[in-house]
Amino acid sequence: MKKIIATMLGIFVLEFAAVCSAEKYEMTYEAQNFTEGLKNDEALSETFTTPYGMLKIQARKLWQAKSENQMHFIVWMDDKRIEDAHLPKVDYGYTFRVFKNTSTGDLFYSLESIERACLYGYSPTKNSLEIYIDSNNYKHEAGAYPYIVALKNGTLVLAFEKQNRCQRYQLNWDKKANWFGYRDVGSRWSSISKDKQ
């Protein structure tokens, strides 16, 4: 009996230690559908303090551009341009979120529409903005909306929602690979809106 109790106590301690040491993410900024209300040639910009310097992101709606290139995104790190991209105009606009890894202080940025969600982060070794997660690369049901969110428990997830079904992938930073890994946590979840921060 003592061996069983000791074994159970050991398992509990290991599981508790794993939970306590797991990385946690906090959503520090959210702008839902922020491009939908932009007027022609109007720009919005935000600046974020990172462990590597000041990161500034600007989004501009180009008046004379074709719809596939209408949204112009520029990113600077300490006044050096590190990203310049043209994205299509999308129904309901783009949503932008910032997540902080609470153990490292690193920031990650999601840009999502009803068709696609991407998670970006600054790479100090490459001095560039990397796309770490692209929803187009994950198995999901056709027509499902993609979301990248931090849950109330601090877990970072990529979710796909369609009607009452939600497929989720848990995202974890791999220090050795310097990249995000993921784990498929199934599709029997309720709406992400109930669990997100």
Side-chain angles (χ1 to χ4, degrees), residues 28-73:
T28 60
Y29 180 88
E30 180 178 47
Q32 288 193 355
N33 310 104
F34 76 99
T35 60
E36 187 66 9
L38 280 179
K39 297 182 175 111
N40 290 332
D41 287 329
E42 182 181 12
L44 292 175
S45 64
E46 291 289 343
T47 302
F48 302 95
T49 302
T50 77
Y52 311 105
M54 299 299 287
L55 186 124
K56 180 180 178 182
I57 299 174
Q58 180 187 73
R60 178 181 296 279
K61 183 178 179 183
L62 301 177
W63 175 55
Q64 294 184 338
K66 295 180 180 176
S67 65
E68 64 267 16
N69 293 321
Q70 195 170 46
M71 298 308 306
H72 187 204
F73 288 88

Side-chain angles (χ1 to χ4, degrees), residues 6-140:
T7 301
M8 294 300 287
L9 186 57
I11 290 170
F12 174 76
V13 168
L14 287 174
E15 287 181 1
F16 182 75
V19 168
C20 289
S21 65
E23 64 190 21
K24 301 283 184 193
Y25 290 87
E26 175 185 345
M27 184 177 68
T28 60
Y29 180 88
E30 180 178 47
Q32 288 193 355
N33 310 104
F34 76 99
T35 60
E36 187 66 9
L38 280 179
K39 297 182 175 111
N40 290 332
D41 287 329
E42 182 181 12
L44 292 175
S45 64
E46 291 289 343
T47 302
F48 302 95
T49 302
T50 77
Y52 311 105
M54 299 299 287
L55 186 124
K56 180 180 178 182
I57 299 174
Q58 180 187 73
R60 178 181 296 279
K61 183 178 179 183
L62 301 177
W63 175 55
Q64 294 184 338
K66 295 180 180 176
S67 65
E68 64 267 16
N69 293 321
Q70 195 170 46
M71 298 308 306
H72 187 204
F73 288 88
I74 306 172
V75 181
W76 295 267
M77 176 59 83
D78 289 335
D79 298 326
K80 180 181 179 188
R81 189 179 289 203
I82 60 170
E83 182 65 41
D84 192 327
H86 289 85
L87 300 175
K89 181 183 179 202
V90 293
D91 291 340
Y92 311 112
Y94 288 92
T95 293
F96 179 72
R97 294 186 184 93
V98 180
F99 306 101
K100 180 180 181 179
N101 181 323
T102 58
S103 61
T104 65
D106 287 331
L107 298 180
F108 297 95
Y109 315 90
S110 73
L111 186 64
E112 63 189 48
S113 69
I114 61 171
E115 301 165 357
R116 184 179 184 189
C118 292
L119 184 69
Y120 301 84
Y122 175 70
S123 169
T125 55
K126 296 180 181 178
N127 193 28
S128 66
L129 201 65
E130 296 284 333
I131 299 176
Y132 290 117
I133 302 294
D134 184 338
S135 64
N136 286 346
N137 297 331
Y138 291 79
K139 182 180 174 185
H140 61 280

